[in-house]
Amino acid sequence: GQQVQQSPASLVLQEGENAELQCNFSTSLNSMQWFYQRPEGSLVSLFYNPSGTKQSGRLTSTTVIKERRSSLHISSSQITDSGTYLCAKSGGSNAKLTFGKGTKLSVKS
Amino acid sequence: AQTIHQWPVAEIKAVGSPLSLGCTIKGKSSPNLYWYWQATGGTLQQLFYSITVGQVESVVQLNLSASRPKDDQFILSTEKLLLSHSGFYLCAWSRGDGNTLYFGEGSRLIVV
C-alpha cells in the first residue's frame, strides 16, 4: 500500500483562513520533507523536519515520529499560497525518497 | 550560491526516438544527484540517484538509464521512447544523505 498518505487531497480556502495539511506514513522514518509544487511543476523545499516543530514565516511543520505523522500549518493564507503541497519521507537516506500524492490548495479572494 | 539547471525545458518526441535530458549543478562539489519523474496528475517517483562520478543507482527503471559523466552533470536517457515516458522530469541535488533536496525547474516530455 501507499507508504505516504496525504490529506486532504484538495482544499479551498478564503484568503486569511488557516490550513492544516496532514501526512501519514506507514513505515519507519528517517527524514520528512515538505515541498511546494508550483503550477508549472517546479518544486520548492519548505521544510526538512525529521522530528519536532519548525517554523518559517506563516508556515509551521510538526513531525511526530511515534504517531507516524507530519503536518504543515499555513496561517493567514494568501492567494499566492495556491498550489500543491507534497510531503516526502525517507526510510534510510535521501537515496530513496517516497512522495505522497499531494494536497492541492486553492486560496480565493 | 548553488544553481541547478535542466535542459531542455520541454520536448515533443516520437515513440521509438532517443531521448537525452541533462542537469548541471554549479557551486557545489560532489553533490548527491537525483532524477525524479511525475506522470501528469501522478505521484513523483525517484528514478535514479548518484553520490559520485561514474556511479548511478537505479530505484525505478522505466526503461531509462542515467549517467554521471562529470561531478556536476547528470544525464537521463533512453534509445527508444515509449508513450509511457511522457511526463515531467525533475533533477535534484543534496549535500548528502538526509539533507534537504533542491530541485531544478524540470523538463516536460510529451511522447507522441
Side-chain angles (χ1 to χ4, degrees):
Chain A
Q2 184 85 18
Q3 287 188 33
V4 179
Q5 292 181 319
Q6 288 190 244
S7 61
S10 62
L11 184 61
V12 179
L13 297 176
Q14 287 295 119
E15 196 173 15
E17 290 183 327
N18 299 333
E20 187 88 5
L21 281 55
Q22 297 290 340
C23 181
N24 294 281
F25 44 94
S26 58
T27 56
S28 62
L29 176 78
N30 190 56
S31 70
M32 174 61 71
Q33 299 187 37
W34 283 92
F35 298 90
Y36 167 71
Q37 186 166 33
R38 297 188 181 103
E40 68 268 24
S42 60
L43 264 69
V44 176
S45 175
L46 298 176
F47 291 103
Y48 171 80
N49 185 16
S51 67
T53 298
K54 291 191 175 182
Q55 183 176 2
S56 175
R58 294 181 295 105
L59 303 180
T60 304
S61 168
T62 299
T63 298
V64 184
I65 296 175
K66 284 192 303 186
E67 297 178 14
R68 298 197 167 182
R69 65 174 176 84
S70 182
S71 63
L72 178 68
H73 182 83
I74 304 173
S75 62
S76 303
S77 61
Q78 300 176 0
I79 294 173
T80 52
D81 293 334
S82 298
T84 300
Y85 292 81
L86 301 170
C87 67
K89 71 167 280 286
S90 168
S93 69
N94 262 355
K96 181 67 172 87
L97 207 60
T98 303
F99 280 82
K101 291 186 176 182
T103 293
K104 188 171 183 178
L105 175 65
S106 178
V107 182
K108 300 187 182 303
S109 59
Chain B
Q2 299 86 9
T3 59
I4 177 169
H5 173 62
Q6 284 189 243
W7 73 92
V9 172
E11 280 222 271
I12 300 176
K13 303 272 284 185
V15 169
S17 63
L19 173 76
S20 182
L21 301 179
C23 175
T24 298
I25 291 83
K26 296 299 182 188
K28 175 73 180 84
S29 62
S30 304
N32 285 2
L33 297 175
Y34 312 85
W35 277 112
Y36 287 83
W37 171 73
Q38 186 177 36
T40 302
T43 306
L44 263 172
Q45 293 186 64
Q46 190 166 334
L47 300 177
F48 299 95
Y49 71 93
S50 170
I51 60 174
T52 191
V53 175
Q55 283 191 355
V56 176
E57 298 295 329
S58 171
V59 179
V60 174
Q61 278 248 326
L62 297 182
N63 291 308
L64 296 166
S65 60
S67 63
R68 186 170 178 176
K70 301 179 187 178
D71 185 53
D72 63 353
Q73 196 173 79
F74 208 18
I75 306 295
L76 185 69
S77 61
T78 182
E79 292 187 0
K80 285 188 177 182
L81 278 165
L82 307 172
L83 285 173
S84 57
H85 286 137
S86 293
F88 193 57
Y89 290 84
L90 284 160
C91 179
W93 72 273
S94 72
R95 290 187 173 86
D97 289 350
N99 285 310
T100 302
L101 283 183
Y102 300 94
F103 284 84
E105 296 298 306
S107 297
R108 193 164 300 280
L109 174 67
I110 298 173
V111 182
V112 296

